[in-house]
Amino acid sequence: MAKKRKELTVEQLENLTRGHGKKYVSLDEGAALYSIGKNTFRQMAKDAKATYKINRRVLVNIQKFDEFMERFRKNSIKWRFRKMGKVIAITNQKGGVGKTTVAVNLGVGLAREGKKVLLIDADPQGSLTASLGYVEPDDINRTLATVMIEVMNDVDIDPMDGILHHAEGVDVLPANIELSGLEVALVNVMSREVILKTYIEMIRDQYDVVLVDCMPSLGMMTINALAAADEVIIPCSSSYLPVKGLEQLMATIVKVKKHLNRKLRIRGIVMTMTDFRTNYAKDIAEMIRSGYGSKVGIFKTTIPFSVKAAEPSAEGVSVYKHCPGGKVANAFADLTKEVLG
Ligand code: ATP
Ligand code: MG
């Protein structure tokens, strides 16, 4: 027969812990002590992992709570109610289908809608980093690789250190060639699939949306992105026969869902570089719709083929800045609204 767990009374607990300088308070007492609302105090204490249920009463360990708040004070981060902090991986193992272009312009689009956005460059090519104007990614000394190595080695880090602030209102965690070395190193690491997730969990309450721009492969970095994500957006250029590649991607997503991240869902395929004057593009769109339409959503918005989509990366700005009101900027604004849906 299972033993009934022994519960301490509040007095016993106080006596036990008094010697260690700990003190427990109720939610009402804590709220009064810090002059904040009870709900806010409860949420903060939860975040601090300082709440204990003792004899059906919620008590808060004040020392633990103080230590947690000190981290915020030290790093000048404001504690906020947990945000939605949705993590979206932008993935397709096929190269050059518009992943980075979608990440940048969806990211800035969301920021223009008032969302706090972090863009994570998860590609050693550093294209996202470079296209936002950080033109020499290899010269940046703190990147995604740095923070992932620190997480791997259990180093106590300031998770916001290394995040860049772009003039168009998005934050960026850059990447460079070091990430390819890390990908190799990950193979021998325990919990290697969830290193990125562990990092993102540290910062996601600072953001409304975290977009991860994946590299063109289904290797360990992409698995890390899928394991960390709530949703996947799959850019698909209409100039390439996507069905075969999509099958492989879907199989990987199913595996990740089964073993690493049950809540992962495919948000949808976004058709990029479309030119609906040609029937070929129409055929491919139709093929995707008939092959995956019921299982996988396809965004209504398509991103038209235009040099206006390709040019801004040379200037380090989004298409909204490069060509405001143009058809590509409008398409990305529509896509943003669909994603916010
Ligand atoms: P990779 O797999 O290498 O990471 P990617 O999938 O991230 O590539 P992008 O880098 O976004 O793809 O785009 C590939 C190329 O196509 C880039 O030169 C980009 O400027 C260009 N491009 C992206 N979108 C469009 C578009 N709508 N019209 C024309 N060119 C585009
Ligand atoms: Mg890219």
Side-chain angles (χ1 to χ4, degrees):
M1 202 173 77
K3 250 194 195 164
K4 196 166 175 282
R5 203 150 50 91
K6 193 180 165 204
E7 283 187 335
L8 298 175
T9 64
V10 180
E11 290 72 26
Q12 280 171 320
L13 195 89
E14 281 287 357
N15 285 337
L16 257 176
T17 55
R18 196 161 285 153
H20 302 287
K22 286 181 191 162
K23 182 121 180 89
Y24 290 81
V25 294
S26 70
L27 291 175
D28 285 317
E29 287 165 344
L33 199 64
Y34 287 87
S35 312
I36 48 179
K38 189 172 163 184
N39 275 340
T40 310
F41 181 68
R42 178 192 287 123
Q43 184 68 53
M44 287 171 122
K46 249 190 176 168
D47 280 1
K49 297 194 171 61
T51 50
Y52 296 85
K53 222 173 188 167
I54 297 153
N55 288 350
R56 296 206 187 133
R57 279 182 71 200
V58 176
L59 293 181
V60 177
N61 179 323
I62 280 299
Q63 190 188 339
K64 245 183 152 178
F65 182 81
D66 271 341
E67 281 167 10
F68 175 77
M69 290 313 295
E70 184 57 30
R71 277 211 331 250
F72 280 85
R73 277 194 286 270
K74 230 172 47 201
N75 301 319
S76 315
I77 309 169
K78 249 179 134 177
W79 184 90
R80 300 192 270 197
F81 264 108
R82 258 182 204 291
K83 298 196 143 225
M84 150 178 99
K86 188 179 275 181
V87 182
I88 305 177
I90 307 206
T91 312
N92 191 335
Q93 79 276 23
K94 172 74 185 165
V97 293
K99 294 181 285 295
T100 303
T101 309
V102 168
V104 167
N105 294 296
L106 175 60
V108 173
L110 289 164
R112 289 162 69 95
E113 292 289 330
K115 300 293 171 196
K116 186 111 176 41
V117 178
L118 173 65
L119 297 173
I120 298 184
D121 191 346
D123 182 350
Q125 294 178 93
S127 320
L128 179 130
T129 306
S131 71
L132 282 167
Y134 310 100
V135 282
E136 296 289 350
D138 292 349
D139 292 345
I140 300 175
N141 57 25
R142 203 169 165 80
T143 63
L144 177 63
T146 329
V147 296
M148 284 182 71
I149 288 168
E150 289 172 347
V151 169
M152 246 160 68
N153 294 332
D154 258 335
V155 177
D156 197 12
I157 56 168
D158 167 4
M160 299 302 281
D161 192 11
I163 290 178
L164 309 169
H165 308 291
H166 189 268
E168 286 185 72
V170 287
D171 280 3
V172 183
L173 183 56
N176 61 24
I177 192 70
E178 274 181 46
L179 200 61
S180 59
L182 175 80
E183 227 209 351
V184 178
L186 274 175
V187 173
N188 294 316
V189 173
M190 218 200 311
S191 311
R192 60 195 176 186
E193 296 97 347
V194 292
I195 305 288
L196 181 59
K197 181 187 172 69
T198 310
Y199 171 70
I200 289 178
E201 288 306 323
M202 296 179 193
I203 45 97
R204 77 186 283 175
D205 59 348
Q206 301 295 314
Y207 293 96
D208 297 304
V209 185
V210 178
L211 294 180
V212 186
D213 180 28
C214 293
M215 60 199 280
S217 89
L218 292 174
M220 202 40 81
M221 268 317 299
T222 299
I223 302 288
N224 262 267
L226 292 174
D230 301 299
E231 297 181 353
V232 195
I233 290 180
I234 306 169
C236 234
S237 82
S238 44
S239 61
Y240 124 85
L241 204 70
V243 178
K244 188 86 197 137
L246 275 182
E247 266 166 21
Q248 228 180 333
L249 177 57
M250 299 298 174
T252 305
I253 291 171
V254 167
K255 262 193 222 156
V256 170
K257 226 171 127 88
K258 191 165 165 200
H259 299 290
L260 295 166
N261 181 8
R262 281 169 59 184
K263 66 180 191 314
L264 180 66
R265 77 179 184 111
I266 300 172
R267 184 60 191 275
I269 293 173
V270 54
M271 297 284 291
T272 61
M273 308 182 203
T274 52
D275 179 358
F276 281 99
R277 281 167 308 180
T278 63
N279 279 331
Y280 182 58
K282 272 189 199 153
D283 290 348
I284 290 193
E286 199 36 58
M287 222 155 91
I288 295 180
R289 267 180 236 280
S290 61
Y292 295 97
S294 57
K295 271 187 276 171
V296 179
I298 299 176
F299 286 100
K300 276 206 221 74
T301 311
T302 61
I303 310 300
F305 184 92
S306 160
V307 284
K308 297 285 182 229
E311 284 163 354
S313 61
E315 296 170 20
V317 297
S318 73
V319 69
Y320 310 101
K321 191 121 198 200
H322 177 74
C323 186
K327 62 178 182 174
V328 183
N330 289 343
F332 274 113
D334 289 346
L335 180 69
T336 303
K337 291 206 181 81
E338 264 196 76
V339 169
L340 285 172

